[in-house]
Amino acid sequence: MIKDHVMKRAGPWLRVVAGSASFALPTILGIVILNFLFLQLLPGDAVDVLAMRSGSATVESISALRVQTGLDQPLSGQLAAYLSRLAHFDLGVSTQYHLPVADIIAARLPDTLLLVGGALGLAVVLGLLLGSVMASLAGRWIDRMLSGLLMLIYSTPGFWIGLMMILLFSVKLGLFPSAGSATIGTRLSGLAALYDKAAHLIMPMTALSLFYTAVYARLVRATMIDVLRQDFILAARAKGLHPVTLIRRHAIRNALIPVVTVAGIHLGNLLGGAVVVETVFGWPGMGRLAFDALLSRDFPVLLGVLLLSSILVVAVNALADVLLGWLDPRILTE
Amino acid sequence: MTAASGELLVIRDLVVERPGVRLLDSVALSIGKGETLSLVGESGCGKSLSALAILGLLPEGVRHARGEILFEDEDLARASPRRLRQIRGKSIGLVMQDPMSSLDPVLQIGAQMEEAIRTHLPLSARQARGRALELLDLAGVPEPLRRYGQYPHQLSGGLRQRVSIATAISCTPRLLIADEPTTALDVTTQVQVLDLLDRLRRELSMALLLITHDLSIVARRADKVCVMYAGRVVERAGVDDFFAHPRHPYSKGLLHSSLGAGTPLHHRFDRLPEITGSIASAAGQSGCPFAPRCDQAEAACGKTLSWPGTTDSRDHFSACLHPNPEESA
Ligand SMILES: Nc1ncnc2c1ncn2[C@@H]1O[C@H](COP(=O)(O)OP(=O)(O)OP(=O)(O)O)[C@@H](O)[C@H]1O
Ligand SMILES: [Mg+2]
């Protein structure tokens, strides 16, 4: 019977995933082409930057470099070449580091996923917790105090929060390291390495997540106040449920639906916000990589990062769709 | 009124207020074991509020000000939150009006039923599931096994109301409160659901507090009737006595205007003159709240402070000042 049930639910789920996937490919292709074209609008290319940095370039060496990197080709030719390489899962070679783009990104990806995923997870969990407390104590002083605090967080830029955190927790209290993603020059393993990573992660992750925590807490508060007014809550209370059980079983699940919807959309914003936070905390992620690549006109790296970001966003949104289907059964059967 | 011993629920002098407004005024009623009491009255007169007061589930900002709610000789108005939680769902069940909104849309039917069962009965998950299936069957839900795993939106209104009823009776309560359980249903389903309530009341020997707008339902299903107007009980009697000799002018108006059966009560007062302000604002003021709409009103009706009413030899209560209860309507 349970297996039967799972099979019945798996049908519509597959539909949701297949639906997302059929959108994903054309979307990602469109994003790649647009990114490519937009980058051409920037003044200068990688060769200009290299020439400028070397300080001893001649006209001959510059045009030789252009031929070597393919930058002498017309735009349409460059785009076609890029796409055909992409079709063979080749992201090209960095003009700056002369290393395969895939390798460069692969080295940065885990740290970025850790930072962005951690921040999003923290924001959802904390937002849910704060929102639930505020909704169940709506109008009381705890609710008002938290609302004020969230408003403050809401209106403070993340980089400033980051700098203040460094000042307080690293410089004054010496609790957490102020930069990097691991202690340099040590070869830690096992639990020690994990602890070291966590100590480095905690500040940038918190700085990145605070704004979203505030957004989710307010969203959960509003939704839950609405949910708590529904008839089914009164019906559940009339069954003799404890108030905490009521929130846990009925209110949170209903309030989670809008949060998951927006959290899927927020991943893109978080990847963007990571650029600033990674810079402030010296976190070696994709955000900083993209920023450096932009300054150096290292388009293969930049395009690679953008491509991966869009794949991440699409994948997370598909995941959000599946999660929504699980949270709200009305979506699957309609 | 004197509470005969053996009464299941006795409410005495219940006053419920929200700041500045008295919503229930000196409400008194009693329900014997296994009996059906019908609470009637037009919209906003305080029927639901009375039901919620019994369960200790008054809305935010509304508070119990005075009076006793004796359930099996225990005053629920003074019971601790913990004690009230033990009673809700276990000794007193509630079925609400709208089956479309009284079930959680994101939880399976079975899970919502087991929640009530496992809160009060020491059953394992497996046993609770068995009990839920049994209850669905008892409430006349076809294919219990299939319905058990479904979500509320996959069920019709009538089925959902059956699920609500099955949940409310899951711990065999001594009292079931049904607040307009059929108002949101179509006519054929209404009859089926009322039949179900009747049958369950007999099989489980529980008492039923049936809130309704519809006097035809009262006539067919209730043992006793309690008519409310503007937060007060204006008439209280056995059903046969009530229909044969209504005493209060408001009740007479109700019966008179419901001769053409079928239309629900709250549509039948169009002919009566509108009173200014909501009827709740009339509650708690001196004088008879019905006086402005009453065709037998005298000068005294508007002045008399909290007229206690009279109870005749057949234990038939009327809050009307008129000494002669047999005056024609
Ligand atoms: N949450 C609340 N806050 C304040 N006042 C309320 C609240 N709920 C009900 N009331 C007031 O209490 C009075 C009685 O309401 P109640 O819901 O008991 O009426 P009712 O007899 O059940 O009407 P209906 O037939 O429409 O269900 C109404 O006048 C209403 O204004
Ligand atoms: Mg009501």
Side-chain angles (χ1 to χ4, degrees):
Chain A
M1 136 98 196
I2 287 177
K3 198 173 166 196
D4 236 32
H5 172 66
V6 169
M7 290 303 290
K8 246 181 243 157
R9 298 269 322 253
W13 281 29
L14 282 179
R15 270 211 308 280
V16 171
V17 174
S20 310
S22 65
F23 272 113
L25 264 181
T27 308
I28 289 173
L29 185 68
I31 289 172
V32 167
I33 293 174
L34 274 180
N35 282 337
F36 191 91
L37 295 177
F38 274 132
L39 289 184
Q40 307 306 320
L41 295 176
L42 289 172
D45 60 18
V47 174
D48 291 325
V49 174
L50 286 178
M52 191 184 72
R53 285 188 184 159
S54 78
S56 63
T58 60
V59 177
E60 288 76 36
S61 68
I62 286 177
S63 50
L65 254 176
R66 285 232 158 77
V67 172
Q68 186 194 327
T69 51
L71 287 171
D72 60 331
Q73 300 288 316
L75 195 53
S76 57
Q78 287 184 41
L79 178 58
Y82 185 70
L83 288 179
S84 88
R85 260 184 283 131
L86 260 194
H88 297 92
F89 299 101
D90 178 6
L91 291 173
V93 175
S94 159
T95 57
Q96 190 181 196
Y97 305 112
H98 308 291
L99 289 169
V101 171
D103 293 355
I104 296 178
I105 292 181
R108 302 286 192 118
L109 187 62
D111 275 343
T112 289
L113 286 182
L114 200 61
L115 177 65
V116 171
L120 192 62
L122 185 69
V124 169
V125 171
L126 224 57
L128 215 55
L129 211 69
L130 291 174
S132 307
V133 169
M134 287 160 73
S136 26
L137 300 173
R140 315 265 179 91
W141 67 269
I142 290 191
D143 172 40
R144 298 215 195 128
M145 203 188 67
L146 284 175
S147 290
L149 187 70
L150 290 180
M151 202 60 206
L152 201 71
I153 291 172
Y154 210 50
S155 48
T156 313
F159 76 89
W160 193 81
I161 292 179
L163 288 174
M164 290 304 114
M165 285 173 75
I166 292 180
L167 267 180
L168 182 64
F169 294 111
S170 301
V171 179
K172 282 256 191 276
L173 300 175
L175 282 178
F176 304 115
S178 66
S181 75
T183 308
I184 297 165
T186 54
R187 290 188 146 273
L188 297 168
S189 63
L191 223 55
L194 208 67
Y195 178 78
D196 186 54
K197 194 77 167 181
H200 282 87
L201 179 64
I202 192 149
M203 283 207 298
M205 183 174 84
T206 310
L208 187 58
S209 79
L210 274 179
F211 173 80
Y212 297 92
T213 303
V215 173
Y216 299 154
R218 285 161 56 113
L219 186 62
V220 168
R221 180 186 182 276
T223 321
M224 200 175 277
I225 285 178
D226 194 48
V227 170
L228 288 175
R229 277 198 210 112
Q230 305 283 319
D231 276 357
F232 65 81
I233 293 293
L234 185 61
R237 290 175 71 199
K239 292 180 199 169
L241 296 197
H242 191 277
V244 174
T245 316
L246 197 74
I247 298 276
R248 197 168 49 77
R249 283 189 56 100
H250 296 277
I252 285 196
R253 191 148 169 180
N254 279 282
L256 207 54
I257 294 169
V259 171
V260 170
T261 312
V262 292
I265 300 166
H266 279 162
L267 185 81
N269 302 22
L270 270 163
L271 285 170
V275 177
V276 177
V277 169
E278 284 176 4
T279 308
V280 171
F281 288 95
W283 185 264
M286 289 205 313
R288 254 187 11 166
L289 179 66
F291 188 62
D292 292 343
L294 180 69
L295 290 184
S296 319
R297 300 291 184 267
D298 192 346
F299 290 165
V301 168
L302 197 51
L303 283 170
V305 170
L306 292 175
L307 172 66
L308 201 71
S309 302
S310 56
I311 291 176
L312 271 179
V313 169
V314 168
V316 165
N317 275 296
L319 191 72
D321 279 348
V322 171
L323 210 57
L324 274 179
W326 175 70
L327 282 174
D328 190 351
R330 286 165 294 188
I331 293 173
L332 292 183
T333 28
E334 258 153 37
Chain B
M1 141 189 152
T2 49
S5 61
E7 295 284 25
L8 181 70
L9 177 79
V10 178
I11 297 181
R12 283 200 203 110
D13 192 28
L14 177 64
V15 175
V16 165
E17 297 175 331
R18 112 182 140 204
V21 189
R22 189 165 280 196
L23 298 170
L24 295 182
D25 196 0
S26 313
V27 166
L29 56 84
S30 69
I31 307 177
K33 294 195 173 83
E35 209 171 49
T36 300
L37 173 84
S38 202
L39 203 54
V40 291
E42 66 195 83
S43 203
C45 69
K47 303 183 298 290
S48 299
L49 226 45
S50 305
L52 294 178
I54 296 170
L55 289 162
L57 289 176
L58 288 174
E60 193 111 344
V62 176
R63 61 177 202 101
H64 168 268
R66 202 173 74 202
E68 296 178 316
I69 301 169
L70 297 172
F71 179 74
E72 299 184 321
D73 300 320
E74 181 180 3
D75 190 357
L76 299 187
R78 271 152 203 89
S80 68
R82 199 184 126 88
R83 177 70 189 133
L84 279 172
R85 283 202 300 275
Q86 288 173 353
I87 289 170
R88 288 179 205 140
K90 173 91 166 66
S91 310
I92 307 179
L94 175 70
V95 177
M96 300 207 292
Q97 175 175 341
D98 187 358
M100 293 301 168
S101 59
S102 58
L103 294 170
D104 188 334
V106 305
L107 286 182
Q108 292 174 349
I109 300 299
Q112 304 198 41
M113 297 185 66
E114 284 171 16
E115 189 171 73
I117 298 168
R118 297 197 71 191
T119 301
H120 300 292
L121 305 176
L123 297 182
S124 68
R126 222 187 134 78
Q127 289 166 323
R129 181 166 170 270
R131 173 93 183 126
L133 291 172
E134 217 175 272
L135 285 161
L136 284 173
D137 192 43
L138 185 67
V141 174
E143 299 179 85
L145 207 61
R146 186 163 75 91
R147 299 303 183 185
Y148 177 92
Q150 285 189 316
Y151 291 90
H153 70 276
Q154 294 169 294
L155 272 59
S156 69
L159 273 184
R160 287 199 214 186
Q161 199 59 311
R162 283 176 191 272
V163 170
S164 293
I165 292 171
T167 310
I169 61 158
S170 58
C171 304
T172 46
R174 257 97 63 204
L175 173 65
L176 182 65
I177 301 177
D179 189 350
E180 303 188 36
T182 57
T183 310
L185 305 175
D186 65 68
V187 183
T188 41
T189 321
Q190 284 187 3
V191 175
Q192 291 168 1
V193 167
L194 287 167
D195 285 344
L196 170 67
L197 285 172
D198 236 8
R199 196 190 86 216
L200 291 172
R201 180 183 62 83
R202 272 181 281 107
E203 283 176 9
L204 307 174
S205 53
M206 60 182 184
L208 183 62
L209 175 58
L210 184 63
I211 297 175
T212 180
H213 271 132
D214 193 340
L215 283 179
S216 63
I217 292 179
V218 179
R220 248 172 281 150
R221 315 276 174 175
D223 302 309
K224 293 197 300 195
V225 61
C226 200
V227 182
M228 288 187 75
Y229 185 81
R232 298 189 202 186
V233 173
V234 294
E235 181 151 2
R236 195 173 49 230
V239 158
D240 298 336
D241 199 20
F242 174 76
F243 282 98
H245 312 285
R247 290 184 59 193
H248 197 281
Y250 175 63
S251 314
K252 290 179 192 172
L254 284 185
L255 286 169
H256 188 69
S257 55
S258 70
L259 286 180
T263 36
L265 198 62
H266 54 291
H267 295 315
R268 293 191 195 128
F269 263 91
D270 299 347
R271 304 181 283 107
L272 290 171
E274 276 288 319
I275 51 167
T276 48
S278 71
I279 66 167
S281 69
Q285 288 165 5
S286 70
C288 172
F290 187 60
R293 285 165 80 174
C294 183
D295 54 0
Q296 297 168 42
E298 301 163 357
C301 294
K303 291 191 201 117
T304 317
L305 281 161
S306 54
W307 172 250
T310 54
T311 307
D312 74 8
S313 55
R314 289 179 302 246
D315 207 24
H316 186 153
F317 168 84
S318 163
C320 186
L321 190 60
H322 276 278
N324 180 6
E326 307 306 330
E327 260 182 317
S328 70

